[in-house]
Structures are given as structure tokens and as C-alpha cells.
Amino acid sequence: MITGAGADRHTDVGTDTDTENDREAENRRGTGPGRRALRALFGRQARLRWVHLVLGGALLMPYWLLSTVLLGSLDPRKGPLLQVLLYFAALAASLPMAAATALVPTVRALEGAAALALCAPARADEVATGPARSWAARRRTAGWFVLHLAFGGIVSGMTLAGTPFAVMLILRPTGFEELTRFWAEHGVPGPLPGPVLGLALLGLVVGTSAGLGGLLARWAPVLLGPTPDERLAAAERRATVLAERNRLARELHDSVGHALSAVGIQASAAARVLRTDPEFAAEALAAIEETARSAVAELDAVLGLLREEERGGAATAGPTLAGLDDLLRQLARTGVTVDAELAPGLDRLPPGFSRESYRIVQEGLTNVLRHAGPAPARLRISLTGERVRIELTSPLDRLRPSRPGRPGGGRGLRGIGERAAALGGDCEAGPTDDGTMWRLAVRLPVGTGGEQR
């Protein structure tokens, strides 16, 4: 016997199993061959595709009427057979006129929207809803428009003529005298009753509508989808958007991450000496205020990158190598003493290149602060010809191996590598040969960064 919580769990499991079995039985009942056939002929999707086809027939009418006038197919003096042939000839003549109209770029936008709303294409995400920009896209749109109007004309004609006739046959079980005479003249011994013929005619109309609607749904992604050139342009736009997002993420990580790391170290130091050394604590709080103000200013500059295109000019993306003194002064307040050796002429470097180089130095020093805490570091920036070399070292024995990692891992070194690669340079990071120092070396060609924003 199962009692208590175990019984409850057993009951829950049994209930879940019964529910799953009922759901599977429902699915089996709803997806049988008969159900699928009825859904394909009379379901909501089939009805929407019929509306789409009737819309195509309505769009065909102006071209068909113009063709009938030009061909003189409305002349009552012609015989019935010639009249019917001229009607079909008018249909054939109207399709080239429709194809010429479909070369207008906005036709693809209208037809794509109609196909998505009514046709339920197989790959809806591949149906374009924008204007056709190239002649290849316009030719494909013309092919789709011709098919839509031709199939729509067929289904519309069968619906308008066949449906009322089928209803009349169903309501006249014995049929019509003309129909009976027709069977007799053609040697049919037992003419079919009217209801059978009416139902067969209705089935023909419904089946034709479902079949042609399914064909249009299958061909919509091919004829209304983007051309290879449009796919390439869309991929390039996505790559540009991703590159901008990555650039913004690097800017936020370097500027805000550095400020938060410095504020954290300063706040921790102030908390430790708040009672024993209030003067030092007050100095640390003042440093926190200055760092926060600087971070807000840099954050505003970084967010300005999002408005560059709207303003039509380049935005100031942050400090440059000329502002390294302020960065070193902030780090000194956190206990990181930096022995800096800066080459002359850094203030004359291209602005975009100088900003990216500053971010590399800032992230390198932030990593020292984050992973080694208050520790000495040495920074050397040399300028030789058209190349800038940045080298940063710090004692390896000051690293904090027990420091818990952040969700997703650190992004500092990866961001440095991305910036260096964007400027056409390279970077190396790791312990020195003697195992006593951690070394970051970045080499950048100046000529490739002048156009960087």
C-alpha cells in the first residue's frame, strides 16, 4: 500500500499519464486521413486560400475585359463555339498585360502582404513584403502575379458558374430535360441523377480551389522571396548591426566596468578604515564621487554612438591617449601604482585610433585592479614610425586565484583582442618566461585607425 506523499505522487503521475494518453488519442482522431482530407478542402486555411484566389480573379477582370473588347469577343453574331474560344483567347491576352503591370516595384509589397495574410505559404519568413528593387525581383514578381491572376480567374469562373449550376442539379433530382436528352444522344443507358452530378461538380470546384491554392502557397517563397543579391544585402546589414552592437558592448564594458571596479575597491578600502582613519575614508569617498562623475560622462559619450547616424556626424566616443594622466590618477587612489613611460606625440595620433588605444590601456589596467587588487604595474607606450606598441606588466604573485568568476566569464581580454584586430593589429597576453609577471602586449599600425569612429 502506498500512503502519504508517495500516494499523492503516484496519483499525480497516473493523472499525467492519462492526460498524455487522452491528448495522443485526440491527436490521432484529429489527424486521420479523412480528417486531414476534410481540413485540406474545407478548413480555415483552404477558405483563406480560396479568398486569395478570388482576389486574383477580381484583379484579372480589368485586363480580361480590355482584351475582350480588343478581340471583339462580345460580338453576338459569332457562333457559340467561336465565342468561347475568343473568351479563352482574351484570357491569354490579358496575362501579358498583367505581367507588365507587375513590373512596378510596389506590386511585390502588395502581393507579398496578401500572400502572407491569405495564402499561408510554406516558408512564410522567406516571403518579401518590400518593393522589388532589382529587375530580377520584378521579373519574379511578374511571374507570381500572372499565376495568381490565372489561377484566380479559373477558380472564380468555376465558383461563379459551377456552384449555382451544382445547386440547381441537387435541387432537381430527376435532372433537366436538356441534360437527359444529352445523355440519350451520347448513348448513356442510365443517366446519372442530378444530385450526384451536382455533388461531383461541387467537389471539382472545391478540389480545384484547394489544389491551385496549395500550388501558390508552395511557389510564394520562390517567386516572392528575396533574390540572391537581396539576401546578400540583408546579411551585410545584419553584420553591420551586430558589429555596432559589439562595439557598443565593448565601450560599455570598458568605461562602466572600469569605473565600477575602481569604485568597488575604493568603497572596500573606505569601509575598512572608516573608524580608524576617517580622513582616508573621506578621501576615498571623494575619489568615488569623482570616478562616478567621470563614468557618467563616459556613459553619455558611449550612448552618443547610437545617435551618430541621426546627427550625420561622428560623435565623441570617449577619452583619448591624451587623457591617460586622469586614468592613472584614478588608479593611484585605489592603490594601483602605475609606472608609466609614454612616448611623446601620442596627442597627435588620429582621434579614432587614439580612442581605441585608450580603451585597450584602460581595460588592461582594469584587469590589474580587478584580478590583482592594489598592486604595482608598469605601462609602456612607444611610437615607432607608423606603429604603436602598448606593453603592460604586473606581478603574477599578486593575482587572486580564489576570486569568484562572473556569470558568462570575463570579456576584457577578448574585447582587447577585438579592438586590436579592428585596428589591424594583434595582442598577446600571458605570463612572462620567468613566471613572475603577467604581460599584455599590443601592436597597432597607426595608418589603419584614422577612419575609426
Side-chain angles (χ1 to χ4, degrees), residues 145-222:
F145 196 59
V146 167
L147 287 177
H148 184 197
L149 268 60
F151 290 176
I154 294 173
V155 171
S156 298
M158 294 180 67
T159 301
L160 293 174
T163 303
F165 184 55
V167 172
M168 293 177 63
L169 288 174
I170 294 173
L171 296 178
R172 295 282 297 271
T174 59
F176 297 92
E177 296 181 0
E178 295 83 358
L179 189 58
T180 304
R181 191 181 308 112
F182 176 82
W183 295 122
E185 291 176 355
H186 289 79
V188 178
L192 294 175
V196 174
L197 291 175
L199 291 175
L201 184 56
L202 285 179
L204 179 62
V205 174
V206 173
T208 303
S209 175
L212 296 182
L215 288 177
L216 285 181
R218 179 172 297 183
W219 291 337
V222 178

Side-chain angles (χ1 to χ4, degrees), residues 367-373 395-406 438:
N367 281 342
V368 174
L369 176 63
R370 184 182 296 122
H371 298 289
L396 196 58
D397 57 357
R398 299 295 295 272
L399 292 178
R400 296 178 285 186
S402 61
R403 181 180 183 271
R406 293 169 294 161
W438 180 270

Side-chain angles (χ1 to χ4, degrees), residues 18-95:
D18 294 340
T19 303
E20 290 179 2
N21 292 336
D22 293 342
R23 188 180 299 116
E24 291 179 1
E26 273 183 26
N27 291 337
R28 285 195 298 269
R29 287 194 300 269
T31 57
R35 294 264 183 168
R36 285 198 298 268
L38 289 176
R39 190 180 303 114
L41 294 174
F42 302 102
R44 180 176 182 274
Q45 181 175 283
R47 296 195 301 270
L48 288 177
R49 288 177 177 175
W50 175 80
V51 172
H52 184 250
L53 288 167
V54 171
L55 176 62
L59 293 175
L60 175 68
M61 287 305 297
Y63 305 101
W64 182 79
L65 290 175
L66 178 60
S67 299
T68 56
V69 171
L70 294 177
L71 294 176
S73 58
L74 297 179
D75 189 350
R77 292 174 296 179
K78 295 182 174 63
L81 179 60
L82 182 58
Q83 190 87 357
V84 172
L85 293 177
L86 287 177
Y87 281 140
F88 281 101
L91 175 62
S94 63
L95 296 179

Side-chain angles (χ1 to χ4, degrees), residues 76-159:
R77 292 174 296 179
K78 295 182 174 63
L81 179 60
L82 182 58
Q83 190 87 357
V84 172
L85 293 177
L86 287 177
Y87 281 140
F88 281 101
L91 175 62
S94 63
L95 296 179
M97 292 188 289
T101 305
L103 296 177
V104 177
T106 54
V107 171
R108 187 177 74 167
L110 298 174
E111 284 291 313
L116 288 176
L118 300 174
C119 197
R123 302 186 304 275
D125 56 329
E126 296 185 15
V127 176
T129 57
R133 303 295 182 186
S134 64
W135 281 106
R138 295 177 187 179
R139 287 192 294 269
R140 292 164 65 176
T141 303
W144 165 266
F145 196 59
V146 167
L147 287 177
H148 184 197
L149 268 60
F151 290 176
I154 294 173
V155 171
S156 298
M158 294 180 67
T159 301

Side-chain angles (χ1 to χ4, degrees), residues 81-434:
L81 179 60
L82 182 58
Q83 190 87 357
V84 172
L85 293 177
L86 287 177
Y87 281 140
F88 281 101
L91 175 62
S94 63
L95 296 179
M97 292 188 289
T101 305
L103 296 177
V104 177
T106 54
V107 171
R108 187 177 74 167
L110 298 174
E111 284 291 313
L116 288 176
L118 300 174
C119 197
R123 302 186 304 275
D125 56 329
E126 296 185 15
V127 176
T129 57
R133 303 295 182 186
S134 64
W135 281 106
R138 295 177 187 179
R139 287 192 294 269
R140 292 164 65 176
T141 303
W144 165 266
F145 196 59
V146 167
L147 287 177
H148 184 197
L149 268 60
F151 290 176
I154 294 173
V155 171
S156 298
M158 294 180 67
T159 301
L160 293 174
T163 303
F165 184 55
V167 172
M168 293 177 63
L169 288 174
I170 294 173
L171 296 178
R172 295 282 297 271
T174 59
F176 297 92
E177 296 181 0
E178 295 83 358
L179 189 58
T180 304
R181 191 181 308 112
F182 176 82
W183 295 122
E185 291 176 355
H186 289 79
V188 178
L192 294 175
V196 174
L197 291 175
L199 291 175
L201 184 56
L202 285 179
L204 179 62
V205 174
V206 173
T208 303
S209 175
L212 296 182
L215 288 177
L216 285 181
R218 179 172 297 183
W219 291 337
V222 178
L223 297 177
L224 291 178
T227 63
D229 291 339
E230 290 174 328
R231 294 179 187 273
L232 179 60
E236 291 176 349
R237 287 193 297 270
R238 286 193 297 269
T240 301
V241 171
L242 290 177
E244 289 298 319
R245 289 180 179 177
N246 289 335
R247 183 163 68 110
L248 180 60
R250 288 196 303 266
E251 294 289 341
L252 289 173
H253 175 271
D254 293 347
S255 60
V256 179
H258 164 76
L260 292 179
S261 298
V263 166
I265 295 294
Q266 292 162 347
S268 177
R272 285 196 301 268
V273 300
L274 183 60
R275 297 181 182 276
T276 60
D277 193 350
E279 184 178 349
F280 178 82
E283 183 179 349
L285 292 175
I288 290 176
E289 180 184 3
E290 182 181 349
T291 303
R293 292 181 184 276
S294 176
V296 170
E298 287 197 33
L299 180 61
D300 182 68
V302 170
L303 294 179
L305 290 170
L306 297 175
R307 299 185 293 269
E308 287 182 17
E309 294 183 0
E310 295 179 4
R311 289 199 301 263
T316 302
T320 63
L321 290 177
L324 278 179
D325 291 340
D326 295 335
L327 177 63
L328 299 178
R329 187 170 59 254
Q330 290 178 7
L331 289 169
R333 291 195 181 98
T334 65
V336 178
T337 304
V338 182
D339 179 15
E341 183 179 338
L342 309 179
L346 296 180
D347 56 342
R348 295 192 296 271
L349 292 173
F353 177 88
S354 186
R355 283 193 292 268
E356 295 294 314
S357 301
Y358 176 90
R359 294 301 189 196
I360 292 175
V361 174
Q362 183 186 49
E363 181 56 31
L365 292 173
T366 302
N367 281 342
V368 174
L369 176 63
R370 184 182 296 122
H371 298 289
R378 184 176 183 182
L379 173 65
R380 299 182 62 183
I381 301 180
S382 59
L383 178 59
T384 305
E386 293 296 321
R387 296 188 71 85
V388 169
R389 179 181 176 87
I390 301 171
E391 184 174 341
L392 176 64
T393 56
S394 61
L396 196 58
D397 57 357
R398 299 295 295 272
L399 292 178
R400 296 178 285 186
S402 61
R403 181 180 183 271
R406 293 169 294 161
R411 297 176 176 84
L413 290 178
R414 185 174 65 183
I416 292 175
E418 290 175 354
R419 289 184 185 276
L423 294 175
D426 59 85
C427 72
E428 298 176 359
T432 56
D433 294 337
D434 56 8

